[in-house]
Amino acid sequence: MMKISTLILSLMTTLCITTLVYAADVPVKKSGDILVSQDGLSLYTFDKDVAGSGKSACVDACVGLWPILTAAPDATAQGDYSVIVRDDGTKQWAYKGKPLYFFSKDKQPGDRSGDNVKEIWHVVRN
């Protein structure tokens, strides 16, 4: 009986540690009613992106104004967060299938100046 208890405890510990490691990979947190980066900068979605398509419609000059939330090369999907591969091979985080972006004019945590720009950019509400 002791061996089974020890085995179960070991498996549960491994599962918890694995979950914590994966959760740390997603560089997103909640701030009030929106999602932000670990640095507290607001995150946005783009209406022209099709959820679940694995593609971003924001390319070329668009990325200069709306930088992407880059994912590490070994990043993997976790819950509502997935990873898309952009045409240039860069990995980008997505939330509920929609790629995540910053707004270049947001300079400090709490800025939301990109919300509703051209009525197609929106802060991500949780």
Side-chain angles (χ1 to χ4, degrees):
M1 194 65 164
M2 184 65 156
K3 288 183 180 182
I4 292 174
S5 296
T6 304
L7 178 62
I8 290 171
L9 181 60
S10 176
L11 288 173
M12 289 176 63
T13 302
T14 301
L15 178 61
C16 289
I17 290 170
T18 302
T19 301
L20 289 172
V21 169
Y22 283 131
D25 288 347
V26 180
V28 175
K29 63 184 180 180
K30 294 178 182 180
S31 177
D33 64 337
I34 67 167
L35 295 181
V36 298
S37 69
Q38 291 297 323
D39 295 334
L41 294 174
S42 300
L43 293 168
Y44 299 87
T45 56
F46 184 34
D47 285 350
K48 293 184 180 183
D49 288 334
V50 177
S53 70
K55 294 287 183 185
S56 168
C58 181
V59 296
D60 301 325
C62 177
V63 175
L65 195 54
W66 299 93
I68 68 169
L69 179 59
T70 306
D74 61 345
T76 58
Q78 301 164 40
D80 286 334
Y81 298 93
S82 56
V83 177
I84 67 165
V85 179
R86 298 177 57 82
D87 291 342
D88 67 0
T90 304
K91 289 190 171 187
Q92 180 178 3
W93 283 108
Y95 178 69
K96 296 185 177 179
K98 299 272 290 196
L100 294 172
Y101 306 88
F102 297 101
F103 185 46
S104 62
K105 294 183 181 180
D106 287 351
K107 298 300 180 193
Q108 57 189 348
D111 287 352
R112 296 183 185 187
S113 56
D115 196 23
N116 288 319
V117 167
K118 297 186 181 182
E119 298 181 7
I120 57 175
W121 289 95
H122 310 283
V123 291
V124 182
R125 302 212 179 270
N126 58 35

